[in-house]
Amino acid sequence: NAGVTQTPKFRILKIGQSMTLQCTQDMNHNYMYWYRQDPGMGLKLIYYSVGAGITDKGEVPNGYNVSRSTTEDFPLRLELAAPSQTSVYFCASSEDQTSLRAYEQYFGPGTRLTVT
Amino acid sequence: GENVEQHPSTLSVQEGDSAVIKCTYSDSASNYFPWYKQELGKRPQLIIDIRSNVGEKKDQRIAVTLNKTAKHFSLHITETQPEDSAVYFCAASTAGTYKYIFGTGTRLKVLA
């Protein structure tokens, strides 16, 4: 299993541009999450999904959108990029609530985004 | 909502000594507490976790303790080694949500 994969690894955006961060998992996990990690800080939850077609806001959703059309993919969309969105973005997944390992989240390698 | 505080923000220990990192949480409904290790430029990796029905859990040199009454939990690393140097994050999750609220991290340096 590749686990959780993310593309791209790095990206530089100009203010006002848009982009989509891709996240794919091959573990058949129902739950998926997007976090951002600012320099020297912890991770903040942006959005999460408990299954295909179901998404919900986390702590810091403003400026982002998500969709979940399949179990495997959970893309994060940035519209009108701003310097405040400069961060490292991590995608994660976990098994559903029926599993004994439901709480364990597995992280992707991250996408380092710079907005200038 | 849930809030997780983590202390200290940096910690330096001599190789072979023990290291302790502490976290407090605010939501008494939180029932799952993982600890993640993040090396520079890498993804967070789960190193140990504890559920609210357990007071202590050990895995070789790593242990986690939980005090539900005081709403705090701690990571203990014994016989520290240079490869233990990393940033450690605690988190708390509330039953049924599966969402984590992370602490702000502790940068551990193990001096050889």
Side-chain angles (χ1 to χ4, degrees):
Chain A
N1 285 354
V4 181
T5 58
Q6 293 182 237
T7 57
K9 291 184 180 180
F10 305 94
R11 183 73 186 267
I12 299 175
L13 279 183
K14 295 187 183 301
I15 295 171
Q17 287 185 322
S18 300
M19 76 164 294
T20 299
L21 283 66
Q22 301 292 344
C23 175
T24 300
Q25 52 89 13
D26 62 358
M27 297 175 283
N28 201 32
H29 286 172
N30 282 328
Y31 287 36
M32 296 187 74
Y33 314 82
W34 273 106
Y35 294 91
R36 60 176 287 172
Q37 184 177 31
D38 297 335
M41 301 295 289
L43 292 90
K44 298 285 189 182
L45 182 65
I46 306 171
Y47 271 95
Y48 69 101
S49 169
V50 300
I54 306 170
T55 63
D56 205 351
K57 297 177 180 178
E59 302 171 82
V60 289
N62 292 345
Y64 307 94
N65 279 300
V66 293
S67 60
R68 184 93 182 272
S69 57
T70 66
T71 299
E72 295 78 21
D73 300 308
F74 190 38
L76 177 71
R77 178 81 177 164
L78 278 72
E79 305 281 2
L80 299 175
S84 60
Q85 293 178 305
T86 294
S87 191
V88 179
Y89 291 84
F90 288 100
C91 178
S93 70
S94 65
E95 298 182 26
D96 65 32
Q97 60 185 332
T98 62
S99 168
L100 290 176
R101 304 173 69 88
Y103 286 97
E104 296 182 29
Q105 294 188 15
Y106 298 85
F107 284 80
T111 293
R112 186 175 296 275
L113 176 68
T114 302
V115 182
T116 62
Chain B
E2 174 68 281
N3 183 52
V4 177
E5 295 188 359
Q6 183 172 345
H7 299 280
S9 56
T10 61
L11 178 61
S12 293
V13 298
Q14 289 294 132
E15 182 178 359
D17 287 350
S18 296
V20 180
I21 303 170
K22 299 181 179 181
C23 288
T24 60
Y25 61 98
S26 60
D27 187 352
S28 56
S30 292
N31 66 344
Y32 176 72
F33 308 92
W35 284 90
Y36 281 81
K37 175 183 180 181
Q38 187 178 31
E39 297 176 350
L40 189 63
K42 300 288 184 62
R43 74 189 80 188
Q45 301 268 19
L46 178 70
I47 57 171
I48 197 168
D49 56 12
I50 191 167
R51 296 177 188 269
S52 59
N53 59 350
V54 175
E56 183 176 5
K57 183 177 179 180
K58 287 184 180 180
D59 183 2
Q60 299 183 347
R61 297 186 297 109
I62 295 173
V64 57
T65 58
L66 171 65
N67 183 326
K68 286 197 303 181
T69 302
K71 289 190 283 189
H72 68 70
F73 56 111
S74 299
L75 177 71
H76 304 253
I77 306 174
T78 58
E79 300 174 16
T80 53
Q81 301 168 3
E83 51 265 38
D84 294 329
S85 295
V87 179
Y88 292 81
F89 292 97
C90 64
S93 183
T94 303
T97 68
Y98 302 93
K99 296 184 291 183
Y100 290 174
I101 300 298
F102 280 89
T104 51
T106 296
R107 183 173 300 278
L108 174 64
K109 296 181 183 178
V110 179
L111 307 172

mmCIF file of all heavy atoms in Angstrom, chain B residues 29-47:
data_model
loop_
_atom_site.group_PDB
_atom_site.id
_atom_site.type_symbol
_atom_site.label_atom_id
_atom_site.label_comp_id
_atom_site.label_asym_id
_atom_site.label_seq_id
_atom_site.Cartn_x
_atom_site.Cartn_y
_atom_site.Cartn_z
ATOM 1 N N ALA B 29 -15.199 15.598 27.527
ATOM 2 C CA ALA B 29 -15.709 14.514 26.681
ATOM 3 C C ALA B 29 -14.613 13.906 25.798
ATOM 4 O O ALA B 29 -14.849 12.878 25.157
ATOM 5 C CB ALA B 29 -16.846 15.027 25.804
ATOM 6 N N SER B 30 -13.434 14.495 25.765
ATOM 7 C CA SER B 30 -12.342 13.935 24.961
ATOM 8 C C SER B 30 -11.963 12.568 25.501
ATOM 9 O O SER B 30 -11.888 12.356 26.723
ATOM 10 C CB SER B 30 -11.112 14.861 24.988
ATOM 11 O OG SER B 30 -11.390 16.055 24.303
ATOM 12 N N ASN B 31 -11.751 11.615 24.611
ATOM 13 C CA ASN B 31 -11.515 10.253 25.071
ATOM 14 C C ASN B 31 -10.376 9.537 24.364
ATOM 15 O O ASN B 31 -10.152 8.349 24.582
ATOM 16 C CB ASN B 31 -12.801 9.421 24.934
ATOM 17 C CG ASN B 31 -13.199 9.228 23.499
ATOM 18 O OD1 ASN B 31 -12.727 9.929 22.599
ATOM 19 N ND2 ASN B 31 -14.068 8.268 23.245
ATOM 20 N N TYR B 32 -9.654 10.247 23.509
ATOM 21 C CA TYR B 32 -8.535 9.621 22.800
ATOM 22 C C TYR B 32 -7.415 10.637 22.691
ATOM 23 O O TYR B 32 -7.653 11.783 22.291
ATOM 24 C CB TYR B 32 -8.979 9.160 21.423
ATOM 25 C CG TYR B 32 -7.862 8.588 20.578
ATOM 26 C CD1 TYR B 32 -7.308 7.346 20.851
ATOM 27 C CD2 TYR B 32 -7.366 9.300 19.493
ATOM 28 C CE1 TYR B 32 -6.290 6.825 20.081
ATOM 29 C CE2 TYR B 32 -6.350 8.792 18.708
ATOM 30 C CZ TYR B 32 -5.813 7.551 19.014
ATOM 31 O OH TYR B 32 -4.798 7.034 18.252
ATOM 32 N N PHE B 33 -6.186 10.197 23.041
ATOM 33 C CA PHE B 33 -5.077 11.140 23.147
ATOM 34 C C PHE B 33 -3.835 10.536 22.479
ATOM 35 O O PHE B 33 -3.109 9.753 23.075
ATOM 36 C CB PHE B 33 -4.806 11.453 24.620
ATOM 37 C CG PHE B 33 -6.037 11.891 25.358
ATOM 38 C CD1 PHE B 33 -6.830 10.978 26.024
ATOM 39 C CD2 PHE B 33 -6.419 13.228 25.365
ATOM 40 C CE1 PHE B 33 -7.989 11.372 26.689
ATOM 41 C CE2 PHE B 33 -7.564 13.642 26.026
ATOM 42 C CZ PHE B 33 -8.353 12.711 26.686
ATOM 43 N N PRO B 34 -3.579 10.934 21.246
ATOM 44 C CA PRO B 34 -2.395 10.420 20.540
ATOM 45 C C PRO B 34 -1.205 11.356 20.697
ATOM 46 O O PRO B 34 -1.366 12.560 20.956
ATOM 47 C CB PRO B 34 -2.866 10.386 19.087
ATOM 48 C CG PRO B 34 -3.814 11.543 18.985
ATOM 49 C CD PRO B 34 -4.481 11.666 20.347
ATOM 50 N N TRP B 35 -0.040 10.793 20.511
ATOM 51 C CA TRP B 35 1.199 11.579 20.454
ATOM 52 C C TRP B 35 1.873 11.301 19.111
ATOM 53 O O TRP B 35 2.021 10.146 18.703
ATOM 54 C CB TRP B 35 2.155 11.179 21.588
ATOM 55 C CG TRP B 35 1.752 11.711 22.916
ATOM 56 C CD1 TRP B 35 0.944 11.107 23.832
ATOM 57 C CD2 TRP B 35 2.131 12.971 23.489
ATOM 58 N NE1 TRP B 35 0.799 11.909 24.935
ATOM 59 C CE2 TRP B 35 1.527 13.052 24.753
ATOM 60 C CE3 TRP B 35 2.949 14.030 23.056
ATOM 61 C CZ2 TRP B 35 1.696 14.157 25.594
ATOM 62 C CZ3 TRP B 35 3.122 15.117 23.892
ATOM 63 C CH2 TRP B 35 2.489 15.173 25.138
ATOM 64 N N TYR B 36 2.279 12.394 18.450
ATOM 65 C CA TYR B 36 2.936 12.281 17.165
ATOM 66 C C TYR B 36 4.348 12.845 17.247
ATOM 67 O O TYR B 36 4.603 13.826 17.946
ATOM 68 C CB TYR B 36 2.155 13.049 16.087
ATOM 69 C CG TYR B 36 0.949 12.305 15.573
ATOM 70 C CD1 TYR B 36 -0.248 12.299 16.278
ATOM 71 C CD2 TYR B 36 1.010 11.590 14.385
ATOM 72 C CE1 TYR B 36 -1.348 11.608 15.806
ATOM 73 C CE2 TYR B 36 -0.092 10.901 13.903
ATOM 74 C CZ TYR B 36 -1.264 10.915 14.617
ATOM 75 O OH TYR B 36 -2.349 10.224 14.136
ATOM 76 N N LYS B 37 5.235 12.215 16.482
ATOM 77 C CA LYS B 37 6.617 12.678 16.357
ATOM 78 C C LYS B 37 6.799 13.189 14.935
ATOM 79 O O LYS B 37 6.395 12.519 13.974
ATOM 80 C CB LYS B 37 7.588 11.527 16.624
ATOM 81 C CG LYS B 37 9.060 11.852 16.410
ATOM 82 C CD LYS B 37 9.913 10.608 16.632
ATOM 83 C CE LYS B 37 11.394 10.898 16.438
ATOM 84 N NZ LYS B 37 12.221 9.678 16.623
ATOM 85 N N GLN B 38 7.375 14.374 14.798
ATOM 86 C CA GLN B 38 7.592 14.929 13.472
ATOM 87 C C GLN B 38 9.045 15.349 13.322
ATOM 88 O O GLN B 38 9.499 16.280 13.982
ATOM 89 C CB GLN B 38 6.665 16.120 13.206
ATOM 90 C CG GLN B 38 6.741 16.624 11.777
ATOM 91 C CD GLN B 38 5.781 17.766 11.501
ATOM 92 O OE1 GLN B 38 5.469 18.564 12.383
ATOM 93 N NE2 GLN B 38 5.301 17.862 10.272
ATOM 94 N N GLU B 39 9.753 14.668 12.462
ATOM 95 C CA GLU B 39 11.130 15.052 12.151
ATOM 96 C C GLU B 39 11.101 16.159 11.100
ATOM 97 O O GLU B 39 10.101 16.340 10.388
ATOM 98 C CB GLU B 39 11.910 13.830 11.684
ATOM 99 C CG GLU B 39 12.013 12.766 12.781
ATOM 100 C CD GLU B 39 12.701 11.492 12.329
ATOM 101 O OE1 GLU B 39 12.936 11.336 11.124
ATOM 102 O OE2 GLU B 39 13.013 10.670 13.200
ATOM 103 N N LEU B 40 12.173 16.886 11.008
ATOM 104 C CA LEU B 40 12.239 18.063 10.153
ATOM 105 C C LEU B 40 11.885 17.722 8.713
ATOM 106 O O LEU B 40 12.493 16.839 8.102
ATOM 107 C CB LEU B 40 13.633 18.685 10.229
ATOM 108 C CG LEU B 40 13.794 20.037 9.550
ATOM 109 C CD1 LEU B 40 12.903 21.079 10.211
ATOM 110 C CD2 LEU B 40 15.246 20.486 9.581
ATOM 111 N N GLY B 41 10.882 18.404 8.188
ATOM 112 C CA GLY B 41 10.473 18.210 6.806
ATOM 113 C C GLY B 41 9.696 16.943 6.527
ATOM 114 O O GLY B 41 9.422 16.623 5.368
ATOM 115 N N LYS B 42 9.319 16.229 7.589
ATOM 116 C CA LYS B 42 8.611 14.965 7.405
ATOM 117 C C LYS B 42 7.160 15.058 7.905
ATOM 118 O O LYS B 42 6.756 16.051 8.509
ATOM 119 C CB LYS B 42 9.337 13.848 8.178
ATOM 120 C CG LYS B 42 10.769 13.625 7.733
ATOM 121 C CD LYS B 42 10.852 12.974 6.394
ATOM 122 C CE LYS B 42 12.274 12.648 5.973
ATOM 123 N NZ LYS B 42 12.933 11.684 6.885
ATOM 124 N N ARG B 43 6.408 14.025 7.655
ATOM 125 C CA ARG B 43 5.020 13.981 8.118
ATOM 126 C C ARG B 43 4.977 13.568 9.581
ATOM 127 O O ARG B 43 5.889 12.896 10.068
ATOM 128 C CB ARG B 43 4.227 12.981 7.282
ATOM 129 C CG ARG B 43 4.544 11.522 7.599
ATOM 130 C CD ARG B 43 3.910 10.566 6.608
ATOM 131 N NE ARG B 43 4.666 10.479 5.366
ATOM 132 C CZ ARG B 43 4.246 9.825 4.287
ATOM 133 N NH1 ARG B 43 3.072 9.211 4.294
ATOM 134 N NH2 ARG B 43 4.986 9.783 3.201
ATOM 135 N N PRO B 44 3.918 13.927 10.302
ATOM 136 C CA PRO B 44 3.756 13.441 11.679
ATOM 137 C C PRO B 44 3.554 11.927 11.681
ATOM 138 O O PRO B 44 2.838 11.386 10.840
ATOM 139 C CB PRO B 44 2.495 14.160 12.168
ATOM 140 C CG PRO B 44 2.329 15.327 11.263
ATOM 141 C CD PRO B 44 2.855 14.877 9.929
ATOM 142 N N GLN B 45 4.188 11.274 12.655
ATOM 143 C CA GLN B 45 4.068 9.824 12.787
ATOM 144 C C GLN B 45 3.555 9.505 14.186
ATOM 145 O O GLN B 45 4.116 9.982 15.181
ATOM 146 C CB GLN B 45 5.424 9.132 12.572
ATOM 147 C CG GLN B 45 6.054 9.384 11.216
ATOM 148 C CD GLN B 45 5.690 8.325 10.188
ATOM 149 O OE1 GLN B 45 4.718 7.611 10.352
ATOM 150 N NE2 GLN B 45 6.472 8.213 9.131
ATOM 151 N N LEU B 46 2.531 8.679 14.270
ATOM 152 C CA LEU B 46 1.985 8.274 15.565
ATOM 153 C C LEU B 46 2.997 7.412 16.308
ATOM 154 O O LEU B 46 3.515 6.439 15.760
ATOM 155 C CB LEU B 46 0.692 7.478 15.348
ATOM 156 C CG LEU B 46 0.012 6.935 16.592
ATOM 157 C CD1 LEU B 46 -0.594 8.079 17.398
ATOM 158 C CD2 LEU B 46 -1.073 5.927 16.215
ATOM 159 N N ILE B 47 3.296 7.781 17.554
ATOM 160 C CA ILE B 47 4.243 6.982 18.328
ATOM 161 C C ILE B 47 3.579 6.248 19.484
ATOM 162 O O ILE B 47 4.018 5.158 19.863
ATOM 163 C CB ILE B 47 5.416 7.841 18.862
ATOM 164 C CG1 ILE B 47 4.904 9.014 19.711
ATOM 165 C CG2 ILE B 47 6.293 8.306 17.721
ATOM 166 C CD1 ILE B 47 6.024 9.760 20.437
#
